[in-house]
Amino acid sequence: SMVLRELSDEDRIRARAKALAARTRRADIKNQFGAGKLSITEVLDLVPDDEAIGRLRVMDLLESVPGVGEIRAHTLIDRLGISPSRRLRGLGRKQRIALVEHFQQSPPKTKE
């Protein structure tokens, strides 16, 4: 019926808006992290309450750091024992600690 049709359109629009908001949110967090304005700990602290950030791939976060491209990001997560497809919310405790320790030793440079 017509009613169902309208509902699915509405749902589609809502889903599209939500996806866009999530992408924007992830891009914002990546920019702040890459610019050294947010620490890795601060980013990880967002995960439990922020679905969009929980869905952020570790690789994508690492690649937001200036001077870190795909190859360097791959090398790093390999060394930390993290799968390339892993998202922030899927990180185990040891993996989170390894990430934090890495960035405490070499934090992203703050852009002036």
Side-chain angles (χ1 to χ4, degrees), residues 52-111:
I53 302 310
R55 289 183 57 85
L56 176 61
R57 283 169 68 238
V58 180
M59 276 288 289
D60 291 339
L61 184 66
L62 298 182
E63 287 180 34
S64 71
V65 177
V68 177
E70 200 177 340
I71 293 169
R72 201 169 277 182
H74 261 290
T75 305
L76 177 58
I77 60 171
D78 202 44
R79 191 158 56 76
L80 300 178
I82 298 170
S83 145
S85 61
R86 179 73 66 203
R87 295 174 192 275
L88 291 183
R89 65 164 178 221
L91 286 171
R93 192 174 148 272
K94 285 192 178 130
Q95 294 174 323
R96 284 198 303 272
I97 291 169
L99 261 180
V100 168
E101 284 175 353
H102 168 79
F103 281 109
Q104 276 167 352
Q105 287 156 13
S106 53
K109 309 284 177 280
T110 309
K111 290 204 186 85

